[in-house]
């Protein structure tokens, strides 16, 4: 006899959690900075802002940038990102994990720093849209780690915080969950390093999709 579920709603970050896009995002930030002769952040610095809304992310990636320069940086970032986004793929096992969780009766959601247009492109390209019951993007509400994105998903699905699990590859995801009084799991195969993730509140830190899937089957 199977154990009752501890969670009803599982919300996933997108980039670096389900889709293997971290390296491309960081490289696109760096290329955009070069285009505008701005200081180029290191790969670690560029990766650290992934998960935030785009304007917030770029402003943090280039400290001291003028507000009037951010729109041009956004435009150059989008140019470089969109030049190859169709080549991005899901992490191995991500699709199978989502299908399995859906079949087991979980509500599934996405809480992402991507724009609505960007997430819709990704969902259409991967064919995953039918698996998700609700989605929220950074351009529709406050950016992580503000809890608004997750609170809105919980409200839409009618699920309490104690029955909600957020999964993401950044401390932004984990702190968003904590700020919403929900639970969280970190994954180390995306943007933020293990030593940073373990400093944020979470039930655990997973090192692969396979390990994440197994944890959810045993503890979710």
């Amino acid at each position: 006899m199977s154990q009752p579920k501890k969670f009803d709603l599982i919300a996933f970050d997108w980039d670096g959690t389900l889709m293997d896009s971290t390296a491309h995002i960081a490289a696109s930030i760096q290329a955009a900075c070069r285009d505008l002769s701005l200081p180029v952040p290191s790969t670690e610095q560029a990766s650290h802002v992934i998960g935030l809304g785009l304007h917030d992310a770029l402003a943090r990636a280039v400290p001291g940038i003028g507000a009037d320069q951010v729109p041009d940086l956004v435009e150059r970032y989008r140019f470089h990102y969109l030049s190859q986004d169709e080549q991005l793929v899901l992490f191995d096992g991500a699709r199978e994990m989502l299908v399995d969780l859906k079949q087991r009766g979980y509500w599934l959601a996405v809480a992402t720093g991507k724009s609505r247009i960007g997430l819709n492109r990704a969902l259409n390209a991967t064919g995953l849209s039918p698996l998700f019951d609700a989605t929220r993007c950074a351009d529709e509400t406050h950016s992580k780690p503000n809890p608004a994105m997750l609170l809105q998903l919980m409200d839409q699905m009618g699920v309490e915080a104690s029955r909600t699990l957020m999964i993401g590859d950044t401390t932004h995801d984990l702190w968003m969950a904590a700020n919403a009084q929900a639970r969280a799991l970190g994954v180390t195969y995306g943007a933020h390093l293990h030593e940073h993730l373990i400093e944020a509140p979470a039930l655990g830190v997973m090192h692969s999709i396979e390990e994440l899937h197994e944890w959810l089957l045993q503890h979710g």
Side-chain angles (χ1 to χ4, degrees):
M1 185 174 180
S2 61
Q3 296 180 342
K5 300 197 305 289
K6 295 180 181 177
F7 302 104
D8 298 312
L9 173 62
I10 302 178
F12 291 88
D13 172 59
W14 187 264
D15 291 305
T17 300
L18 295 175
M19 179 161 277
D20 189 4
S21 49
T22 299
H24 179 50
I25 293 172
S28 297
I29 292 173
Q30 293 170 322
C33 290
R34 292 190 192 97
D35 288 350
L36 299 176
S37 298
L38 294 169
V40 178
S42 67
T43 298
E44 182 177 348
Q45 290 170 328
S47 297
H48 192 75
V49 302
I50 294 173
L52 301 174
L54 182 55
H55 285 72
D56 289 345
L58 294 178
R60 291 197 192 187
V62 189
I65 186 175
D68 59 329
Q69 294 176 289
V70 173
D72 289 338
L73 189 56
V74 168
E75 187 278 326
R76 295 314 299 165
Y77 166 81
R78 284 178 170 154
F79 170 82
H80 290 288
Y81 181 84
L82 293 174
S83 69
Q84 298 184 48
D85 77 321
E86 293 182 356
Q87 301 175 30
L88 298 176
V89 297
L90 297 169
F91 286 108
D92 289 343
R95 184 185 306 275
E96 292 78 7
M97 175 184 65
L98 292 170
V99 169
D100 185 40
L101 294 173
K102 188 69 174 176
Q103 292 175 342
R104 292 174 185 272
Y106 292 97
W107 298 113
L108 301 181
V110 174
T112 177
K114 298 180 81 65
S115 67
R116 170 53 59 186
I117 292 175
L119 179 61
N120 286 349
R121 282 170 57 92
L123 289 172
N124 291 335
T126 59
L128 292 183
S129 185
L131 296 178
F132 292 106
D133 301 286
T135 60
R136 280 296 183 281
C137 299
D139 60 351
E140 297 170 331
T141 184
H142 298 287
S143 181
K144 303 170 185 176
N146 187 294
M149 201 180 300
L150 196 54
L151 290 172
Q152 290 169 13
L153 289 170
M154 292 189 295
D155 183 64
Q156 180 177 342
M157 303 310 301
V159 178
E160 295 180 357
S162 62
R163 303 286 299 178
T164 300
L165 178 67
M166 177 69 203
I167 299 172
D169 66 311
T170 72
T171 56
H172 314 307
D173 299 303
L174 305 185
W175 280 110
M176 176 179 67
N179 291 335
Q181 299 186 328
R183 306 298 182 266
L185 281 178
V187 297
T188 63
Y189 50 79
H192 284 193
L193 299 175
H194 176 264
E195 54 260 38
H196 295 150
L197 291 170
I198 60 174
E199 293 177 352
L203 296 175
V205 176
M206 306 293 110
H207 303 290
S208 67
I209 289 283
E210 182 180 15
E211 185 179 358
L212 172 61
H213 192 177
E214 184 62 29
W215 190 99
L216 292 170
L217 295 182
Q218 292 185 9
H219 304 288

